[in-house]
Amino acid sequence: MASSSTLRGGDGVIRQVKIAASTLSSENQTLLSDFRKAIGVMKEIAVELEKQNKTEMVKELENAFTELLTCYEDCARFSLAVQSVGDNYQPGAELTDFKKLFEDELSKLKASRPSDPQGHQLFRQFKEAVWNVHHAGQPMPGEEEADIVMTSTECSFLNITCPVSGKPITELVEPVRSMDCKHIYEKEAITHYMKTNRAPCKCPATGCPRILQANQLVSDPLLLVEIEEQRSRQTSRPDVVEDFTQFNVD
């Protein structure tokens, strides 16, 4: 049986690792924010070029946009992997190979979040912004009239209020997102919900069939950036926010 001093020492190491991982992940937030700003600027430039009918230049910018999205996703996965190592680290008898832990987490993320720039929501918004220059109100090629089209000015969240507390996403103190169903919650509220409901515990969002798992609820780096963008969007255009919670997204 481990002594109390050994256990205390282990707890101290866990805290240190968690703090180091959190610091590194937080520092990466600035880079992610810069990526988002660059993405926004590129979209605006593409719209201006499309207004001038400079199709070839728009296409070149679109190719550069997909490359930037790939870098953006790589950066986001890096932050998530670092955070996951910090959250799940447990000291053992042998020296910990942190490089291997990080690479293992990165591999898991790449498997669960395959890189597909042209399938990315931000790429869709780029395409829609350009399309709307000359075809506003018309569905893009390959889309039906009845499709729900999320434009570049609309809310990008699956839910805009916490399904447990009812608070708007932009007012959450400690937001977390399910890596499984992508719904967003207040951490304290969803943690209490899971403790007071018998397992397996379903997501509390209306119509969501997914089962909640504590290790799948994370404050991923993109979430904080997206929430800040939504706050800015609400300040400038408070009338465009819609709640998509009622729609099931697999």
Side-chain angles (χ1 to χ4, degrees), residues 77-78 80-82 85 99-114:
R77 277 193 289 264
F78 174 89
L80 284 170
V82 168
V85 169
K99 181 181 179 182
K100 185 177 186 306
L101 284 180
F102 172 77
E103 290 175 345
D104 287 347
E105 290 298 330
L106 204 54
S107 295
K108 292 177 188 176
L109 287 168
K110 286 181 178 180
S112 64
R113 294 173 51 148

Side-chain angles (χ1 to χ4, degrees), residues 10-233:
D11 289 343
V13 172
I14 291 173
R15 281 196 298 273
Q16 290 176 1
V17 170
K18 188 166 287 192
I19 290 171
S22 178
T23 299
L24 184 56
S25 183
S26 296
E27 290 174 350
N28 213 34
Q29 291 282 347
T30 301
L31 181 56
L32 284 167
S33 181
D34 288 342
F35 268 123
R36 296 286 289 218
K37 290 175 183 176
I39 285 169
V41 170
M42 290 180 76
K43 183 171 66 177
E44 292 173 1
I45 293 173
V47 168
E48 290 304 314
L49 290 173
E50 183 68 12
K51 289 178 180 177
Q52 300 172 38
N53 295 313
K54 296 182 178 180
T55 307
E56 288 302 316
M57 294 183 70
V58 172
K59 184 60 181 175
E60 290 176 9
L61 194 59
E62 180 181 310
N63 293 335
F65 191 87
T66 59
E67 292 179 9
L68 184 63
L69 274 181
T70 298
C71 294
Y72 175 63
E73 281 292 298
D74 287 343
C75 184
R77 277 193 289 264
F78 174 89
S79 285
L80 284 170
V82 168
Q83 183 175 300
S84 184
V85 169
D87 289 343
N88 300 316
Y89 169 72
Q90 291 294 329
E94 303 293 329
L95 286 176
T96 302
D97 187 342
F98 283 102
K99 181 181 179 182
K100 185 177 186 306
L101 284 180
F102 172 77
E103 290 175 345
D104 287 347
E105 290 298 330
L106 204 54
S107 295
K108 292 177 188 176
L109 287 168
K110 286 181 178 180
S112 64
R113 294 173 51 148
S115 182
D116 177 21
Q118 295 194 352
H120 199 287
Q121 180 182 317
L122 292 174
F123 181 76
R124 179 188 177 92
Q125 292 178 358
F126 176 94
K127 294 287 287 183
E128 286 179 350
V130 172
W131 173 261
N132 287 337
V133 171
H134 299 301
H135 308 87
Q138 301 176 35
M140 290 198 299
E143 294 180 342
E144 299 297 330
E145 289 283 355
D147 283 351
I148 300 171
V149 178
M150 187 172 292
T151 69
S152 58
T153 58
E154 290 178 333
C155 177
S156 59
F157 298 129
L158 189 59
N159 58 296
I160 64 166
T161 59
C162 171
V164 181
S165 68
K167 290 174 62 177
I169 297 301
T170 52
E171 296 178 14
L172 299 184
V173 175
E174 193 173 1
V176 292
R177 174 158 49 194
S178 167
M179 298 304 291
D180 185 21
C181 66
K182 308 305 180 186
H183 283 112
I184 301 166
Y185 326 88
E186 177 71 82
K187 183 176 181 179
E188 183 178 357
I190 194 64
T191 300
H192 178 74
Y193 174 85
M194 292 178 69
K195 287 180 178 178
T196 55
N197 285 272
R198 184 179 300 176
C201 186
K202 285 180 61 176
C203 171
T206 303
C208 183
R210 302 300 174 88
I211 301 299
L212 291 174
Q213 300 180 61
N215 63 356
Q216 290 294 305
L217 299 175
V218 300
S219 179
D220 66 85
L222 297 183
L223 178 57
L224 301 180
V225 174
E226 290 167 358
I227 286 176
E228 185 55 40
E229 288 182 348
Q230 184 61 24
R231 289 195 187 104
S232 300
R233 194 177 294 124

